Amino acid sequence: MEAPKLPPTAYEPKPGEPYVPLTHGQNLPEFTVKAGVSGILLGMLFGAANTYLGLKAGLTISTSIPVAVLTVVAFRALSAVGARHSVLEANMSQTIGSASSSVASGVLFTIPALFMWELAPAWGQITLLAMCGGLVGVLAMIPLRRYLIVREHGKLPYPEGMACAEVLVAAEGGGRQARPVFLGIAVGMLFKLLTDGFKLVASKFELALVYKAKLSISVSPALVGVGYILGLRVATVMVAGGALSALVIIPAINLWGSGLDAPFYPETEKLIRDMSASDIWNRYVRYIGAGAVASAGIITLIRSIPTMIESFRLGVRQLGAGAEAARERTDHDLSFRTVLVVVAVIVLVLALVPGILGFIDSFVVRGLAALLVAVFAFFFVTVSSRIVGLVGVTSNPTSGMTIATLLGTSLIFYALGWTDLYGKATALMVGTGVCIAASIAGDCSQDLKTGFVLGATPRSQQIGELVGVLTSAGVVCAVVMLLHESVEGGLGGPELPAPQGVLMQLVIDGVLGGNLPWNLIFIGAGLAAVVAILRLPSLAFAVGLYLPLYTMAAVFLGGLLRHLLTRKQPAEVAERRRERGVLIGSGLVGGAGLTGVLLALWVALRGGQKITGIGLDLPAVAEQAIALVTIAAILFVIARIATRTK
């Protein structure tokens, strides 16, 4: 029997005719215990892995496709004992599970700044905030579904949503395509244990050059996997930023400052000629990179203004339409009244419960902060839901939206005189709630698109999204706190630089504290503006400029490998290698991330005693040679799996 396929109208609807979902007329199980439990467990799994990746590299991956694949595999295993499943059950599982990546993104972009300010948030405090932000994001997107998903079908492609639908439909014909994910997880875990567990391999390959320039590449299967997912163009732009900072800016600062007889601000103790390359990066290049990321985020946001205005206008118009009675199961949403009541309750909770929105025990401060969360979230949920329909979740300018929120909130707080450390923390937590809301709205939109073409019940999916938020928030926040306590240097240190969190900290400090080296910030902003003028991805370049070169070099190797494996190949072969490689990359991220979390848990159980590994005492040359060979081995394994024909 021929395997089921999405109809052509899933991509190009016929003018004037409503789209008929794949499962139209069938009575299939959907929101079952099996779907709920598998989605919750997979969401926790990938939420933990994405948390580690985000703290290390400043980015996360969309988990919809790997969660969907693993769901199908789990269901097929259960079918061996007589259990049956439907494509709508699998879709429900991935809907619940994929919410974790959006919660992780929002938490990682902001919460690390609290630890860098040496404010120790309680697990319950940040978990409740993450839950509130996620719930607001899902609920605020619901009134937009009929317009963005249904009426704009064929105009807004929602790429991840359609890709996930294809995976779920294809998986109905066989679970063989899940093998790359499992192989990727195994490879990721193996190499992570070699580098950070047993410490048999150095974590990066380094080659010192002149004037404190240094060529370096991370021995990280997760970062190589991310590069394969992103592709060569974006990976090249990112590594260009890293190369500029490591091979040009650091040597230039070293040469320029070698004749200075006094420390140069913001450094107050060391002379530039006495500083190492990492010192120069930390005291100067970091601010240049922060300026570039902030500028690129704002540029991306400005370019989206026409779409934002149109989306906001249409979203307000749809609020009234959202109350219309639905006639078909596939048009049943949570009622508009329910949405309004729950959002109102959440805002009241934020305003009335001390501690969720910062450390100031004042109803006035909490009330204003809660109101700002509601206003900014409503606006940016509308923006995010439409933008991801055009460019996808991975290109959603969430950083720019968060920066805009923090700037607006910080300016209001500055005018009111709330400029102390607790005022900064409250402004940050407003940004956290809005960032999570905007991020989860993008994921919810993609999931509802998948459900629309398959024939899922929107109300069930919306409830599933809410369940995913509530069950993954605690895990993500626990992993953040665990990693901060167990990893050398904590959040913001060399192992887990938490770049987005540092950036948000700098934004708030700059507005409320007035203690930024603005000359360095403006240099970074100018570099991002030049890249934008050249019509290159300015945000990708800025992230590369901000992060150490060894991080971006590993990402570049992954993108280059994908290019080499797919170029000059027949279209069918190239697409198969791309798909298998993306699944491998997702598995590598999952395996390495989960191993990193397990190692951190091991440190915590040992009372904070760091992992020393086997303790091989090898010459530096031998360590670097082993690291280089290990990088080559990672690339070979990925290529071997991606090019398999069976």
Side-chain angles (χ1 to χ4, degrees):
M1 188 175 80
E2 185 180 357
K5 296 189 297 184
L6 287 178
T9 52
Y11 292 92
E12 297 181 3
K14 297 178 180 179
E17 292 187 13
Y19 172 71
V20 179
L22 178 71
T23 60
H24 179 71
Q26 302 180 47
N27 186 20
L28 301 176
E30 187 170 358
F31 204 150
T32 62
V33 172
K34 179 171 58 177
V37 171
S38 62
I40 290 171
L41 293 178
L42 290 172
M44 291 178 176
L45 192 74
F46 279 95
N50 251 336
T51 301
Y52 180 85
L53 176 65
L55 291 172
K56 189 173 185 65
L59 47 84
T60 57
I61 63 165
S62 175
T63 56
S64 293
I65 293 177
V67 168
V69 170
L70 293 179
T71 293
V72 172
V73 171
F75 284 3
R76 286 190 173 275
L78 291 175
S79 66
V81 294
R84 301 173 64 86
H85 74 277
S86 73
V87 68
L88 298 186
E89 277 184 290
N91 178 57
M92 179 56 63
S93 177
Q94 75 82 19
T95 297
I96 297 172
S98 65
S100 64
S101 62
S102 298
V103 174
S105 296
V107 171
L108 300 175
F109 280 13
T110 52
I111 291 299
L114 292 176
F115 296 96
M116 297 169 200
W117 279 324
E118 297 185 354
L119 291 172
W123 172 80
Q125 178 185 16
I126 56 177
T127 297
L128 284 174
L129 179 61
M131 288 179 175
C132 289
L135 294 178
V136 168
V138 174
L139 293 168
M141 192 273 152
I142 290 173
L144 304 175
R145 185 195 66 86
R146 285 195 178 94
Y147 176 77
L148 295 178
I149 307 299
V150 180
R151 298 188 190 180
E152 292 292 285
H153 178 56
K155 299 177 183 177
L156 294 177
Y158 285 99
E160 284 97 346
M162 292 304 300
C164 192
E166 290 283 9
V167 168
L168 289 171
V169 173
E172 288 297 291
R176 184 176 298 174
Q177 69 181 62
R179 293 178 184 173
V181 179
F182 286 106
L183 290 173
I185 290 174
V187 171
M189 296 186 75
L190 171 63
F191 283 104
K192 186 66 178 176
L193 284 172
L194 291 177
T195 55
D196 292 355
F198 302 118
K199 296 188 183 292
L200 292 173
V201 179
S203 61
K204 58 179 176 288
F205 167 80
E206 293 183 317
L207 179 63
L209 304 175
V210 296
Y211 303 118
K212 299 179 182 176
K214 187 181 293 183
L215 181 65
S216 56
I217 305 174
S218 176
V219 185
S220 171
L223 293 176
V224 175
V226 168
Y228 201 106
I229 293 170
L230 293 176
L232 181 61
R233 182 172 183 266
V234 174
T236 300
V237 172
M238 295 180 79
V239 80
L244 180 65
S245 66
L247 306 180
V248 178
I249 296 178
I250 289 178
I253 292 175
N254 178 64
L255 286 172
W256 174 79
S258 60
L260 296 180
D261 295 324
F264 183 75
Y265 184 79
E267 175 61 37
T268 58
E269 297 180 1
K270 290 184 179 181
L271 299 176
I272 288 181
R273 62 172 173 263
D274 297 329
M275 298 172 73
S276 65
S278 60
D279 289 335
I280 294 175
W281 182 89
N282 186 61
R283 301 305 291 157
Y284 303 111
V285 179
R286 184 178 70 160
Y287 292 100
I288 295 174
V293 173
S295 175
I298 293 172
I299 288 171
T300 306
L301 202 59
I302 290 173
R303 285 177 170 175
S304 305
I305 283 178
T307 303
M308 291 165 55
I309 294 174
E310 179 67 10
S311 298
F312 187 74
R313 183 180 64 82
L314 293 171
V316 172
R317 180 189 300 175
Q318 283 302 112
L319 290 180
E324 296 175 1
R327 290 188 296 270
E328 301 242 354
R329 174 188 61 81
T330 53
D331 199 30
H332 283 181
D333 291 296
L334 285 173
S335 72
F336 185 58
R337 180 180 301 173
T338 300
V339 170
L340 287 180
V341 170
V342 177
V343 169
V345 170
I346 292 172
V347 173
L348 286 175
V349 168
L350 291 174
L352 296 176
V353 178
I356 299 180
L357 281 176
F359 300 82
I360 300 177
D361 188 16
S362 167
F363 173 75
V364 174
V365 176
R366 294 197 305 269
L368 177 59
L371 182 62
L372 290 173
V373 170
V375 172
F376 281 116
F378 177 76
F379 182 79
F380 286 125
V381 161
T382 305
V383 172
S384 177
S385 298
R386 184 175 179 87
I387 287 179
V388 299
L390 295 169
V391 300
V393 171
T394 54
S395 300
N396 191 15
T398 310
S399 291
M401 299 178 199
T402 308
I403 290 171
T405 300
L406 292 178
L407 286 173
T409 303
S410 297
L411 288 171
I412 293 172
F413 281 21
Y414 181 82
L416 295 172
W418 303 339
T419 58
D420 62 0
L421 184 59
Y422 292 152
K424 294 177 181 179
T426 302
L428 179 83
M429 294 180 123
V430 170
T432 301
V434 175
C435 184
I436 294 174
S439 182
I440 197 72
D443 173 75
C444 184
S445 302
Q446 298 286 355
D447 290 338
L448 289 174
K449 180 68 172 185
T450 304
F452 173 71
V453 298
L454 294 179
T457 306
R459 181 169 56 193
S460 298
Q461 281 194 280
Q462 291 153 7
I463 295 173
E465 288 279 352
L466 297 175
V467 170
V469 168
L470 293 174
T471 53
S472 64
V475 173
V476 168
C477 294
V479 170
V480 169
M481 300 187 74
L482 172 66
L483 291 174
H484 175 70
E485 295 296 331
S486 59
V487 173
E488 190 72 36
L491 301 186
E495 174 63 23
L496 296 175
Q500 299 284 7
V502 174
L503 172 62
M504 303 310 167
Q505 176 198 22
L506 294 177
V507 169
I508 297 173
D509 280 337
V511 177
L512 296 182
N515 57 354
L516 284 184
W518 289 104
N519 53 339
L520 299 176
I521 297 290
F522 288 139
I523 289 173
L527 290 172
V530 170
V531 172
I533 291 172
L534 296 175
R535 298 186 178 277
L536 294 172
S538 58
L539 197 55
F541 172 83
V543 171
L545 183 64
Y546 182 83
L547 291 173
L549 175 61
Y550 60 81
T551 300
M552 294 298 99
V555 173
F556 171 73
L557 287 180
L560 179 62
L561 179 64
R562 170 174 160 178
H563 172 72
L564 294 176
L565 293 180
T566 56
R567 71 181 185 126
K568 297 182 179 179
Q569 297 292 329
E572 182 179 348
V573 174
E575 179 62 17
R576 183 174 67 247
R577 292 183 176 184
R578 184 198 67 80
E579 289 180 354
R580 288 179 64 88
V582 167
L583 292 175
I584 297 164
S586 299
L588 291 173
V589 171
L594 292 173
T595 305
V597 172
L598 291 174
L599 292 176
L601 182 61
W602 174 248
V603 171
L605 292 175
R606 294 172 53 181
Q609 183 179 352
K610 307 302 180 186
I611 296 175
T612 57
I614 294 178
L616 294 180
D617 187 13
L618 298 175
V621 174
E623 283 189 350
Q624 294 303 298
I626 293 173
L628 198 58
V629 170
T630 305
I631 293 171
I634 294 172
L635 295 173
F636 173 79
V637 171
I638 296 173
R640 186 77 179 90
I641 298 172
T643 55
R644 288 182 64 179
T645 57
K646 295 183 179 180

